[in-house]
Amino acid sequence: MSEAIQSPTFASKGQVGTDPYSIPLERIDVSDSELFEANEQARYFERLRREDPVHYCAESDFGPFWSVTKFEDIKSVDTNNEVYSSVPTIVIGDPPADFTLPMFIAMDPPRHDVQRKGVTGAVSPRNLSLLEPTIRQRVGDILESLPVGESFNWVDKVSIELTTQMLATLFDFPFEDRRLLTHWSDCATASPVQTGGTSMTQDEIQAELMKCLEYFNQLWQERKANPGNDFVSMMTQSEAFQDMDPMEYLGNLVLLIVGGNDTTRNSISGGVYALNQHPDEYARLKQDHSLIPNMISEVIRWQTPLMHMRRTALSDATLGGKQIKAGDRVVMWYLSGNRDEDVFEDGERFIIDRPNARQHVSFGYGLHRCMGNRLAEMQLRILWEEILQRFSHVEVVGEPVRARSNFVRGYLDLPVKLHVA
């Protein structure tokens, strides 16, 4: 899951501020994180979908790779693990030999299946129904604490706080230390890490993740002796996790922390931004709260909080008329698939009652489909139910600051003002 431990810096490609149709097709590199920080990726993907939907990039900071940008091609890769493997990683760059983090999302069956099964109980339908009152209480407490009529950072006060509280619940993590989970998630997914405007070197990132391992080693020992119903307890009780070495334990922790953090956190921010970018849709939502569930699917489609997943070809294959060779990196751009004109009409627009919003690929397909998708949807639904009860408008009052990442489509700052009727 960790883009940070692939490459500590990114060279500028000179693509930001450039018309993508003026660049030779073979020179387009959509792994350039600056494109996403500047929010200029849309027309690059538009061109690839039109002209070269299975596109080969020969030179990038991560080495050569294929970009898969059309909805149906993405599904065909995501559901064919016999040809397209999740090993050794699900992000574009290969992990460094001296800091590899095995995790079940980067495994194939049968190992993937038994480890995933060992922790899915934490987000089972029964557990979610038990969690709903807790989520609603916490959402209410967070919203009641917010200032009205003055600018503040929605990302920090709401998006991070809510998802971090839920992560602490899912891990039964000491509540007073919950912001450590946010910090470790940021360490694992951004390069350079942009927390409070600071950057971290490769060595610093690795040191912080080792602190994460040290902290969770203590929790493992506690839960082994006295298990509960949290992720760590489920690992201690599952045979699938008994033979893990420390780095595999850390890898699975990173997976669960990032998976529980980034989808919801950035969809919370993305939903506020989308509604402000489409005020007619916001007005419709205020008039008809029954649109919330479908809107949540549209938020997740429009935002696409995790923008890509990578596979590695196990054998030669043909995809979109292109010859994929064994060993090639094949990158599914979920962000592009969610804008595919053949599936989502006017895909850049945010339409709260879009009929097929739930068909989005943000959660993936097949055996690696996000196991926490229902939890993410529930948190977002409850949040908007509670927002609409309290505030007449959540107004974005400045441009967002976006993360420099080609993996997480994240926000660092979203300045807002709250208004009441």
Side-chain angles (χ1 to χ4, degrees):
M1 229 37 185
S2 177
E3 182 178 326
I5 48 185
Q6 301 164 32
S7 176
T9 58
F10 294 95
S12 175
K13 301 291 187 301
Q15 296 181 127
V16 171
T18 302
D19 179 1
Y21 288 87
S22 70
I23 301 173
L25 188 62
E26 67 274 10
R27 299 291 297 172
I28 287 179
D29 176 9
V30 286
S31 74
D32 180 1
S33 296
E34 290 184 343
L35 287 176
F36 304 99
E37 182 184 29
N39 198 35
E40 293 187 10
Q41 73 287 333
R43 294 185 72 239
Y44 283 85
F45 284 122
E46 175 190 77
R47 185 181 180 195
L48 292 186
R49 289 194 302 272
R50 287 178 176 178
E51 299 181 17
D52 198 18
V54 180
H55 172 264
Y56 189 68
C57 177
E59 296 182 7
S60 81
D61 288 334
F62 309 98
F65 67 95
W66 293 94
S67 284
V68 185
T69 55
K70 294 283 285 181
F71 184 91
E72 292 298 335
D73 289 335
I74 289 169
K75 284 181 65 176
S76 71
V77 172
D78 224 354
T79 55
N80 187 359
N81 60 283
E82 293 182 356
V83 173
Y84 301 105
S85 172
S86 298
V87 181
T89 183
I90 47 82
V91 289
I92 298 177
D94 291 331
D98 63 345
F99 203 82
T100 299
L101 298 180
M103 57 186 73
F104 64 79
I105 198 174
M107 298 175 185
D108 295 328
R111 195 173 174 202
H112 161 273
D113 300 351
V114 294
Q115 287 201 356
R116 177 183 168 114
K117 184 178 179 181
V119 292
T120 51
V123 289
S124 67
R126 178 179 178 275
N127 254 24
L128 293 186
S129 66
L130 295 174
L131 280 173
E132 182 161 354
T134 300
I135 296 173
R136 194 172 296 277
Q137 178 65 47
R138 289 181 175 173
V139 167
D141 290 344
I142 290 168
L143 296 179
E144 292 293 336
S145 74
L146 299 174
V148 174
E150 62 182 74
S151 178
F152 66 92
N153 180 5
W154 180 267
V155 176
D156 181 63
K157 296 293 187 183
V158 181
S159 304
I160 290 176
E161 187 57 31
L162 176 58
T163 52
T164 303
Q165 287 190 22
M166 286 314 305
L167 270 180
T169 300
L170 291 170
F171 281 103
D172 193 15
F173 193 84
F175 207 67
E176 65 276 10
D177 289 342
R178 63 189 181 277
R179 284 286 177 131
L180 285 173
L181 297 169
T182 305
H183 173 63
W184 290 326
S185 181
D186 289 342
C187 287
T189 57
S191 181
V193 174
Q194 296 175 309
T195 305
T198 62
S199 299
M200 298 176 70
T201 66
Q202 176 102 346
D203 288 343
E204 289 170 337
I205 290 167
Q206 294 183 8
E208 289 302 306
L209 292 178
M210 293 308 292
K211 290 178 184 177
C212 174
L213 176 61
E214 181 180 0
Y215 198 115
F216 273 94
N217 276 337
Q218 182 175 343
L219 293 184
W220 178 283
Q221 297 304 320
E222 293 172 2
R223 306 294 156 73
K224 187 81 172 174
N226 187 24
N229 201 33
D230 58 277
F231 279 139
V232 178
S233 293
M234 289 181 179
M235 286 190 200
T236 67
Q237 302 304 302
S238 170
E239 290 186 13
F241 295 100
Q242 297 311 303
D243 296 326
M244 288 188 301
D245 65 26
M247 297 307 283
E248 185 173 338
Y249 181 37
L250 177 57
N252 279 316
L253 292 170
V254 165
L255 167 61
L256 294 169
I257 291 169
V258 171
N261 176 65
D262 282 287
T263 297
T264 310
R265 165 180 162 181
N266 292 304
S267 294
I268 289 171
S269 299
V272 170
Y273 185 66
L275 287 167
N276 276 264
Q277 291 292 296
H278 300 82
D280 291 347
E281 298 299 299
Y282 203 170
R284 294 175 63 211
L285 179 67
K286 293 172 185 178
Q287 292 297 315
D288 186 358
H289 294 187
S290 71
L291 293 170
I292 290 174
N294 197 81
M295 183 197 74
I296 297 311
S297 295
E298 178 69 348
V299 167
I300 296 169
R301 180 201 70 85
W302 189 85
Q303 179 60 28
T304 316
L306 296 180
M307 296 182 287
H308 81 257
M309 288 283 169
R310 165 194 160 179
R311 301 292 183 259
T312 302
L314 295 175
S315 59
D316 293 353
T318 301
L319 181 66
K322 300 296 182 70
Q323 298 302 308
I324 311 295
K325 299 295 185 184
D328 284 356
R329 296 180 179 91
V330 180
V331 179
M332 302 173 288
W333 288 102
Y334 293 157
L335 181 61
S336 179
N338 281 337
R339 302 295 196 272
D340 188 343
E341 301 79 0
D342 291 340
V343 179
F344 301 106
E345 184 179 356
D346 203 1
E348 287 295 334
R349 277 196 62 213
F350 179 76
I351 304 170
I352 61 175
D353 60 350
R354 183 182 291 276
N356 63 343
R358 287 193 66 82
Q359 291 182 25
H360 66 75
V361 290
S362 299
F363 292 132
Y365 274 93
L367 61 92
H368 288 291
R369 182 171 169 81
C370 175
M371 73 179 199
N373 62 316
R374 298 297 184 220
L375 175 61
E377 290 171 341
M378 185 171 73
Q379 289 182 79
L380 291 162
R381 171 180 58 80
I382 292 170
L383 175 67
W384 278 102
E385 289 170 352
E386 298 297 319
I387 287 173
L388 291 169
Q389 286 183 20
R390 287 171 173 80
F391 307 117
S392 60
H393 196 64
V394 182
E395 178 191 8
V396 173
V397 294
E399 283 301 306
V401 177
R402 295 179 171 85
R404 180 177 294 185
S405 173
N406 61 27
F407 184 57
V408 175
R409 194 178 187 210
Y411 299 87
L412 306 177
D413 190 355
L414 184 67
V416 304
K417 281 186 181 179
L418 298 177
H419 302 274
V420 295

